[in-house]
Amino acid sequence: MNSYSNLSPVKTLFWTVVSYSIGFGVSFGLVYWIGTQDLGLCFVIAVALANGTNAAKQELMSFVKNIVPIFQSIDNNINGLIDEKNRLQEQIEELEDKVKALDHRIDDLESK
């Protein structure tokens, strides 16, 4: 889920720009340090990396937003099945008690 979803749109935009800028800065620094000393090429690669990271983040958030309700639904179904199982076990116990009571009555009637 989006960690900034409870903020106003301006603050959300601010934090998005800050996180994008940090990602761009880190990418630029790594590409400059590891890859090439050419600033133009570093800029192009860093922009591509930042855009790719941002797109991956958006896809992950979309996936999480879609998967959470599915898991909640599954959890609710499992809880419903557990409640139904417990209810049926109670009914079985009640029926077993009634059968035992009937067996005792039959034994009492047969003994008379």
Side-chain angles (χ1 to χ4, degrees):
M1 311 270 236
N2 193 349
S3 58
Y4 309 119
S5 63
N6 57 346
L7 300 175
S8 68
V10 174
K11 289 182 181 178
T12 302
L13 179 62
F14 172 74
W15 286 112
T16 302
V17 169
V18 167
S19 67
Y20 183 84
S21 299
I22 290 171
F24 174 79
V26 169
S27 298
F28 186 86
L30 286 173
V31 169
Y32 185 79
W33 181 54
I34 294 173
T36 180
Q37 302 289 319
D38 183 15
L39 292 178
L41 184 59
C42 285
F43 180 79
V44 170
I45 293 171
V47 168
L49 285 172
N51 285 338
T53 304
N54 193 29
K57 178 183 171 187
Q58 294 300 324
E59 285 301 316
L60 182 62
M61 293 301 159
S62 173
F63 177 74
V64 168
K65 284 180 184 177
N66 290 333
I67 202 76
V68 167
I70 293 170
F71 279 118
Q72 288 174 343
S73 173
I74 290 171
D75 187 47
N76 290 340
N77 289 339
I78 289 171
N79 289 337
L81 289 172
I82 290 171
D83 291 341
E84 182 70 15
K85 179 188 134 216
N86 291 338
R87 186 184 65 78
L88 290 173
Q89 282 179 338
E90 289 174 5
Q91 285 181 347
I92 288 171
E93 290 172 1
E94 289 174 6
L95 289 173
E96 286 174 346
D97 291 341
K98 289 180 182 180
V99 168
K100 286 178 186 176
L102 287 174
D103 282 341
H104 289 301
R105 282 188 185 172
I106 290 172
D107 290 341
D108 289 343
L109 288 174
E110 287 177 351
S111 64
K112 289 183 183 181

